[in-house]
Amino acid sequence: MKQEVLRNNLKQIRTRLGMNQQDLANLAGVTRQTISGVESGQYAPSTTISLRLAKALGYQVEDLFWLEEDLPEIEAVPAQNLPVGQDLRVILARVGGQWVAHPLIGKDAFRTEMIPADGAANHLSLMDTVLVKLLDDPKKLYNTVVLAGCSPALSLWARAAERWHPELRVHFTFANSMIALERLYRGEIHIAGMHLYCPQTGEHNTPFVHRVLKDKAAVLINLGVWEEGLLVQQGNPKQLKTIADLAQPGVTIVNREQGSGSRELLDRKLKEQKISFTAVQGFDQIVSNHQDVALAVATGKADAGVSSASIATAFGLEFIPLHQSRYDLVILKQYLEEAPVQQLLGTLGHRQVISQLQALGGYDTNLTGEVVATVEAVSNGKHN
C-alpha cells in the first residue's frame, strides 16, 4: 500500500497575507510553535486546529491541506548520453520491454519551451541501471515514443501527432543519422531518422541500416525526399555556383560533424571534384545541427554550408541544390505492434502532415508514409 503524506501550503498563504507565525497563532488561538510544526510538516494538526487555521486565513481546509502519495521509483537503463554522477531531469520511455532514461540537457531539454521532466536521476558510475524518482503520473510513461534525428520536420511531425492523439507523447532527441541509428541498435529509441547515401550501391540509408543493426530486423518508412545543397547569403555575395567554388580564396564554410548526412554529402562532392579537404577554408569549423549551419551563414560567420532547402527558406537564405536525399524513419519490426508507435506512424497519412511538410519547402512527399525498404536480421553472416 502506498504511503500518504499530509502536505500543506500554510507558509505560502500566510506570507502572501503579510503575517508572521505569531500573527497567525494569535488569530487561530494556538501557539507559534504549533504554526512552525505544521508548516515544516513535523506536526499533523487535529481537525479542530485545521478548522481554526482555515478560518483565520479565510480559506477552506482543503485549500490548506491535502494528502499526497509518495511517487514510486523506477529502475531504468541509462541512454548512452546520460552523464555520470549528476542529478538530472530525465524523460522515461518503454523501449523493447525495458525503461530507458534520456537526459533533458542541452538542446534536448527544449522545444521552444523547457520540457517538463518525468523524473530526477543520478547515474552512478559503474552502474548498469539508474534509479529514477518520478515527478509525474507513471501511467503517462507508457504512451511515450522516442524519436531521434536531425531534421526539423521530425519535431513538426511529433507536435502534430500529439494534437491528434492527446494521450501520445513524442520525445524528439537530436542526433545525426549515424548516431540515431546507433541509438536504435542499443535499444534507447523507437525510431531513427536518417538521410545517408551510399555511392557504391546508389542506395539511400539501407546499406547503413544493414551494417549497424546487424541482428535486428527493421523497416524503413519514408518521411520525405528533400533537397540538400549549399546555403549562401541573400544576393550570393561570393557568387558561388558549384561545390568547386568553395576552394576559392576568401570563401569560408561551416561544416557538420562526421556521421551526419550533410557532412557525407560535402565529403562526397569534394572527392568527386578531386578537391582536398584542406583546400576549403572552414572545413574544420564544426557545428552540430542544420539550424547552426544556417545561423553561421546568416550572420556572416561563414559564406556557405551544406543543409536543406527548407532550412534555407526558414532563414531567408539562398540555396544551391546538390542532391535529392531520401529521409527515412527506421523502426525495429518488434516495435511496430506497440500502440504508441502505431499511433505516431498512423499520422503520416494525414493530409495535415503532408501539407505541413510541403509548406516547409524543398520536400517531395510522394513517398511519405510508404515502406521503402525492409531489413532482415543477419543469420550466419547472411541476410535472411
Side-chain angles (χ1 to χ4, degrees):
M1 184 176 179
K2 293 180 180 179
Q3 184 178 0
E4 292 183 325
V5 180
L6 183 66
R7 305 291 188 189
N8 73 82
N9 57 358
L10 201 62
K11 181 178 180 180
Q12 291 87 337
I13 292 174
R14 171 178 62 75
T15 54
R16 279 205 305 268
L17 294 174
M19 296 183 187
N20 59 33
Q21 289 183 341
Q22 190 61 59
D23 293 334
L24 180 55
N26 293 340
L27 283 172
V30 298
T31 66
R32 189 196 63 77
Q33 287 78 11
T34 296
I35 302 299
S36 177
V38 172
E39 288 183 353
S40 66
Q42 296 178 346
Y43 170 65
S46 65
T47 302
T48 301
I49 291 177
S50 298
L51 289 168
R52 286 182 181 180
L53 291 170
K55 183 178 180 180
L57 293 169
Y59 280 75
Q60 299 294 317
V61 171
E62 56 267 29
D63 294 329
L64 301 179
F65 301 97
W66 65 93
L67 288 172
E68 185 178 275
E69 289 184 348
D70 275 347
L71 289 169
E73 293 181 326
I74 284 180
E75 191 171 286
V77 176
Q80 193 173 67
N81 62 333
L82 187 70
V84 172
Q86 298 179 35
D87 290 326
L88 292 169
R89 302 163 63 249
V90 297
I91 282 285
L92 289 169
R94 193 79 174 165
V95 183
Q98 64 183 6
W99 291 108
V100 179
H102 294 265
L104 290 175
I105 54 176
K107 292 183 176 68
D108 289 337
F110 295 88
R111 292 171 187 162
T112 53
E113 73 285 353
M114 186 170 279
I115 301 171
D118 294 331
N122 188 319
H123 181 200
L124 299 178
S125 179
L126 304 180
M127 296 296 289
D128 293 331
T129 59
V130 58
L131 204 59
V132 180
K133 176 80 171 178
L134 294 188
L135 302 175
D136 205 346
D137 185 352
K139 298 186 188 73
K140 297 178 182 178
L141 307 180
Y142 289 91
N143 297 319
T144 304
V145 179
V146 183
L147 175 64
C150 66
S151 171
L154 293 173
S155 58
L156 181 150
W157 171 43
R159 301 292 81 78
E162 289 176 332
R163 289 183 185 177
W164 295 315
H165 300 289
E167 74 284 4
L168 178 66
R169 298 194 320 162
V170 184
H171 179 54
F172 172 51
T173 176
F174 179 83
N176 68 41
S177 295
M178 284 303 295
I179 291 177
L181 203 54
E182 289 163 1
R183 287 182 180 177
L184 182 68
Y185 178 74
R186 291 196 299 267
E188 296 178 2
I189 63 174
H190 297 95
I191 302 174
M194 64 181 303
H195 60 114
L196 292 173
Y197 177 75
C198 177
Q200 287 77 26
T201 63
E203 291 183 275
H204 284 97
N205 301 323
T206 311
F208 303 92
V209 175
H210 273 296
R211 187 169 73 240
V212 174
L213 294 191
K214 302 173 186 175
D215 56 345
K216 298 180 186 294
V219 297
L220 283 73
I221 298 175
N222 184 249
L223 182 66
V225 176
W226 64 354
E227 287 185 295
E228 290 183 293
L230 294 176
L231 308 188
V232 297
Q233 293 174 0
Q234 277 291 340
N236 193 2
K238 295 295 176 75
Q239 297 299 301
L240 304 177
K241 295 179 181 178
T242 69
I243 203 76
D245 292 337
L246 299 182
Q248 292 179 1
V251 174
T252 301
I253 72 163
V254 63
N255 205 352
R256 287 288 307 280
E257 75 283 10
Q258 292 282 357
S260 67
S262 298
R263 175 61 174 268
E264 177 271 326
L265 174 60
L266 178 62
D267 289 0
R268 174 162 47 89
K269 291 295 183 181
L270 288 174
K271 288 176 182 177
E272 287 174 2
Q273 296 295 317
K274 296 181 170 54
I275 297 172
S276 167
F277 296 165
T278 58
V280 179
Q281 187 174 341
F283 188 86
D284 294 328
Q285 182 176 307
I286 305 298
V287 295
S288 60
N289 59 59
H290 291 283
Q291 293 94 317
D292 285 347
V293 171
L295 194 60
V297 175
T299 58
K301 292 180 180 178
D303 299 307
V306 175
S307 188
S308 68
S310 59
I311 292 291
T313 300
F315 280 81
L317 300 170
E318 292 193 21
F319 182 73
I320 302 168
L322 295 174
H323 181 69
Q324 290 275 328
S325 182
R326 203 181 74 202
Y327 198 100
D328 293 333
L329 307 167
V330 188
I331 307 104
L332 298 188
K333 287 186 177 180
Q334 69 188 78
Y335 300 156
L336 289 174
E337 299 303 315
E338 297 185 12
V341 174
Q342 288 181 343
Q343 282 188 328
L344 178 60
L345 294 177
T347 64
L348 284 175
H350 285 245
R351 182 68 245 171
Q352 292 94 326
V353 167
I354 302 297
S355 298
Q356 290 282 355
L357 291 175
Q358 290 172 339
L360 287 173
Y363 267 87
D364 180 343
T365 57
N366 287 328
L367 293 176
T368 299
E370 291 189 20
V371 175
V372 291
T374 60
V375 174
E376 299 302 330
V378 174
S379 177
N380 297 322
K382 297 179 181 180
H383 293 291
N384 296 330

